[in-house]
Amino acid sequence: MITAAPYGKDMYFMTFHCHLEFNDILALQKDVIQHSYTHHIKKMYYKWVLAVAVFLAIVFPFGPSLTSAMVGAVAVVIVLLAFPSLYNKAAFSRSQSQMAKQDYSSVLGPCKITLTDTGIEREISGDVTFFDWADFTRLGEDDTHYFLYQTDLNGLVLPKDPGDLNAEETADYHDRVQASVQDGK
């Protein structure tokens, strides 16, 4: 529902209901691994360490020869090409197993989301949290979620399809989220 009447100090607000599940938190984690600066640095570090180790493991046992250097170079190219994908899969698998052991009940379940001119209010099980638009540093997304990042590794998950809005309201919702997070940078 969109309302143009005042809401606190705000002149605009939109409210909808959604249900956050563990898979939504996993989607955020997958986006973090693929796009965060922290994981980018880790990926680059491990990629080059592994590439050097593979090269040395091939060249040293056979002595410095043209053949071992060429085989080592080919192996390094394979490592450099394959490692980013392997890193993402391994990091996500590790995160998924760690997350399965934690309690996320405070952020999962039915929730009410209200977008205002100044930010987002989220209510889950009677607990209300306000997120100021200025606190979001970047916007990530996949096919079904928006990820509004507060830090490099932490963000708020919003559905792309807020089920109880009509087509016009849904388009306004997408515009509001994208414009507000861009303005917050």
Side-chain angles (χ1 to χ4, degrees):
M1 162 180 42
I2 296 178
T3 306
Y7 177 76
K9 296 180 196 174
D10 303 318
M11 295 304 295
Y12 172 92
F13 74 94
M14 168 189 293
T15 299
F16 63 90
H17 295 85
C18 61
H19 190 92
L20 294 175
E21 299 177 355
F22 186 67
N23 287 339
D24 300 320
I25 304 296
L26 288 176
L28 171 65
Q29 188 60 32
K30 183 179 262 187
D31 193 72
V32 165
I33 291 167
Q34 291 175 347
H35 299 106
S36 73
Y37 181 73
T38 301
H39 281 280
H40 171 73
I41 294 299
K42 284 182 176 181
K43 196 181 312 181
M44 295 300 289
Y45 173 78
Y46 289 127
K47 177 174 72 172
W48 285 104
V49 167
L50 182 61
V52 169
V54 165
F55 183 79
L56 293 176
I58 291 173
V59 171
F60 273 134
F62 303 106
S65 69
L66 182 60
T67 303
S68 65
M70 289 179 66
V71 169
V74 168
V76 165
V77 169
I78 291 170
V79 165
L80 293 177
L81 293 175
F83 188 80
S85 177
L86 294 174
Y87 174 88
N88 288 350
K89 289 177 184 176
F92 181 69
S93 177
R94 183 172 179 246
S95 292
Q96 189 174 16
S97 66
Q98 288 176 343
M99 290 172 66
K101 298 173 189 172
Q102 296 178 8
D103 178 23
Y104 288 95
S105 60
S106 64
V107 294
L108 298 179
C111 67
K112 181 173 110 176
I113 304 288
T114 302
L115 278 65
T116 70
D117 285 337
T118 57
I120 299 173
E121 183 179 280
R122 178 184 69 190
E123 181 179 345
I124 300 176
S125 301
D127 187 23
V128 178
T129 308
F130 184 78
F131 304 91
D132 194 305
W133 288 119
D135 293 340
F136 298 118
T137 58
R138 70 180 170 93
L139 176 67
E141 62 183 287
D142 66 11
D143 293 339
T144 58
H145 304 95
Y146 284 119
F147 309 112
L148 289 72
Y149 286 93
Q150 296 166 300
T151 67
D152 188 42
L153 302 174
N154 185 29
L156 176 67
V157 180
L158 293 178
K160 276 193 172 178
D161 181 19
D164 52 352
L165 300 179
N166 65 35
E168 182 182 327
E169 291 170 335
T170 299
D172 190 39
Y173 163 70
H174 292 289
D175 292 343
R176 172 65 58 163
V177 168
Q178 292 170 354
S180 295
V181 173
Q182 298 304 321
D183 290 344
K185 285 186 175 179

